[in-house]
């Protein structure tokens, strides 16, 4: 795996995972040393380039612990030998509790987010006899992810949220929305899950709406963004066969459809997706949110 280009999402994911593997999964010192020498220099170059970003507790643990041994002068030039690596691991052990606490805090917050989203979504469903539900994933092209920083992602999402609240073009006749930001552990990169509800008496083609939203994302990102449209006919047919279809037209008086719709929305706040939590973020950056219900 090459780190010749600064791929912030992949680097931070790999560093976060490396620290957790040595602390919680008994990764050997030698394996840790080899991976550390692969990651450390490109990560530190990136770290000083984007010094206003915030990082996960696992990444902070590595930064703070390594500085003890090598100082802050050109730390990206260091080569970790076996003895230094052993000492680093010993120092990292002091951070196990803070790393675990971060996980428990995240799970607690996700449960709070779920309660808030459930109440909001319930109001949206009950307010109309039928609603149109859109579920779309907004992400980046594989060959462009290395060019996208967390600051780029943050700005793209801010522009998207502003457009959503204007209720213009592809967001016209929208009745509600919710979003969640994530970071894939493998090659998923930074991405956003977006759920929207529309007035089905005024908007009819859920596939077309999702496509228009995806194209709007491509426009916002100036061509480096892409999307996955879950409202295509084949996906809906597959879920429909299994009785799990919760997107497209949902009838308020159909309990199965409503239950499935809640499952779709609930994907944004699943507490078993800790691996996809952001490992790097802009200060005060929101990673989840939804609109406010307005009864008509």
């Amino acid at each position: 795996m090459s780190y010749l280009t600064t791929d912030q999402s992949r680097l931070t994911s790999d560093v976060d995972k490396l620290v957790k593997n040595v602390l919680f999964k008994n990764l050997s010192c030698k394996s840790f040393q080899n991976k550390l020498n692969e990651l450390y220099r490109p990560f530190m170059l990136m770290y000083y380039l984007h010094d206003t970003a915030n990082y996960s507790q696992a990444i902070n643990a590595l930064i703070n612990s390594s500085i003890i041994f090598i100082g802050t002068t050109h730390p990206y030039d260091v080569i970790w030998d076996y003895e230094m690596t052993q000492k680093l691991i010993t120092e990292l052990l002091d951070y196990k509790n803070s790393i675990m606490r971060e996980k428990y805090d995240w799970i607690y917050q996700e449960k709070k987010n779920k309660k808030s989203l459930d109440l909001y979504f319930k109001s949206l469903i009950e307010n109309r006899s039928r609603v149109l539900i859109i579920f779309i994933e907004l992400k980046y092209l594989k060959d462009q992810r290395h060019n996208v920083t967390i600051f780029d992602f943050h700005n793209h999402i801010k522009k998207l949220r502003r457009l959503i609240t204007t209720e213009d073009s592809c967001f016209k006749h929208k009745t509600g929305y919710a979003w969640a930001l994530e970071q894939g552990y493998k090659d998923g990169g930074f991405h956003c899950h977006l759920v929207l509800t529309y007035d089905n008496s005024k908007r009819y083609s859920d596939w077309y709406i999702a496509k228009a939203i995806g194209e709007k994302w491509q426009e916002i990102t100036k061509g480096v963004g892409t999307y996955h449209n879950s409202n295509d006919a084949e996906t809906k047919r597959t879920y429909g066969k299994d009785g799990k279809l919760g997107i497209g037209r949902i009838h308020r008086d159909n309990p199965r459809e409503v239950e499935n719709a809640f499952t779709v929305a609930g994907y944004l706040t699943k507490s078993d997706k800790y691996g996809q939590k952001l490992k790097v973020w802009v200060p005060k950056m929101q990673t989840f949110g939804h609109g406010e219900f307005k009864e008509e």
Side-chain angles (χ1 to χ4, degrees):
M1 185 179 293
S2 173
Y3 293 93
L4 295 177
T5 55
T6 303
D7 187 334
Q8 191 178 44
S9 176
R10 192 173 69 179
L11 266 174
T12 51
S13 288
D14 285 350
V15 171
D16 180 271
K17 187 175 183 179
L18 177 64
V19 173
K20 289 173 180 174
N21 281 347
V22 78
L23 292 181
F24 301 106
K25 295 189 177 181
N26 298 318
L27 183 69
S28 71
C29 182
K30 187 63 178 177
S31 296
F32 180 73
Q33 177 194 358
N34 292 338
K35 193 66 177 177
L36 184 64
N37 278 319
E38 178 186 349
L39 294 173
Y40 191 73
R41 284 190 285 179
F43 173 76
M44 293 307 295
L45 282 167
M46 181 207 70
Y47 172 72
Y48 283 107
L49 184 63
H50 303 291
D51 60 355
T52 60
N54 289 342
Y55 295 91
S56 69
Q57 285 296 319
I59 294 176
N60 285 333
L62 180 65
I63 295 169
N64 296 336
S65 298
S66 62
I67 286 175
I68 292 174
F69 301 108
I70 62 177
T72 57
T73 304
H74 304 300
Y76 40 82
D77 290 333
V78 69
I79 299 295
W80 292 89
D81 61 28
Y82 191 81
E83 183 179 352
M84 285 175 63
T85 303
Q86 283 183 311
K87 292 179 180 178
L88 177 63
I89 293 173
T90 300
E91 191 67 31
L92 286 172
L93 289 170
D94 290 339
Y95 291 88
K96 286 185 73 171
N97 288 340
S98 64
I99 293 171
M100 287 302 300
R101 186 164 58 250
E102 178 184 60
K103 179 178 181 178
Y104 296 141
D105 288 346
W106 182 86
I107 291 173
Y108 175 74
Q109 184 60 52
E110 285 297 279
K111 290 179 178 178
K112 286 182 63 177
N113 291 344
K114 183 180 186 310
K115 288 181 180 179
S116 175
L117 181 58
D118 283 349
L119 287 172
Y120 175 62
F121 209 67
K122 183 174 184 289
S123 299
L124 295 174
I125 296 290
E126 292 180 346
N127 193 47
R128 284 177 169 79
S129 60
R130 63 185 188 276
V131 297
L132 210 58
I133 294 183
I134 312 297
F135 183 70
I136 184 169
E137 181 185 5
L138 305 172
K139 50 189 178 178
Y140 296 95
L141 295 166
K142 284 186 178 181
D143 62 354
Q144 293 296 324
R145 287 172 188 161
H146 64 279
N147 291 320
V148 180
T149 69
I150 191 63
F151 300 97
D152 297 323
F153 184 45
H154 180 54
N155 287 331
H156 294 157
I157 293 298
K158 283 200 300 183
K159 290 179 182 178
L160 175 71
R161 289 174 58 192
R162 281 197 297 266
L163 287 175
I164 290 175
T165 56
T166 63
E167 300 184 4
D168 195 14
S169 63
C170 54
F171 301 112
K172 192 173 183 180
H173 302 306
K174 172 195 90 274
T175 59
Y177 67 97
W179 50 273
L181 307 184
E182 296 180 350
Q183 181 177 352
Y185 235 153
K186 295 182 180 179
D187 62 349
F190 303 121
H191 57 278
C192 171
H193 293 291
L194 181 63
V195 175
L196 303 104
T197 59
Y198 285 80
D199 183 347
N200 191 214
S201 68
K202 296 176 180 177
R203 298 297 295 265
Y204 311 105
S205 175
D206 53 307
W207 173 84
Y208 178 81
I209 296 171
K211 178 175 179 290
I213 294 170
E215 290 171 350
K216 184 62 69 174
W217 174 251
Q218 291 174 322
E219 180 184 325
I220 290 170
T221 61
K222 297 182 179 179
V224 301
T226 186
Y227 64 96
H228 176 71
N229 183 351
S230 296
N231 289 74
D232 68 278
E234 184 177 348
T235 299
K236 290 197 295 183
R237 187 163 47 248
T238 299
Y239 280 102
K241 286 180 181 178
D242 296 333
K244 297 180 179 179
L245 184 61
I247 53 178
R249 183 179 295 108
I250 300 298
H251 297 83
R252 179 178 59 193
D253 59 356
N254 187 318
R256 172 61 67 85
E257 289 182 359
V258 171
E259 181 183 354
N260 291 341
F262 268 86
T263 299
V264 169
Y267 186 79
L268 273 60
T269 57
K270 289 185 67 176
S271 58
D272 62 352
K273 293 199 299 176
Y274 179 65
Q276 296 198 57
K277 173 189 178 297
L278 290 183
K279 290 86 182 171
V280 55
W281 58 91
V282 175
K284 299 182 180 180
M285 184 176 179
Q286 277 187 271
T287 59
F288 166 80
H290 59 68
E292 293 183 12
F293 176 68
K294 297 177 182 179
E295 190 168 4
E296 297 179 4

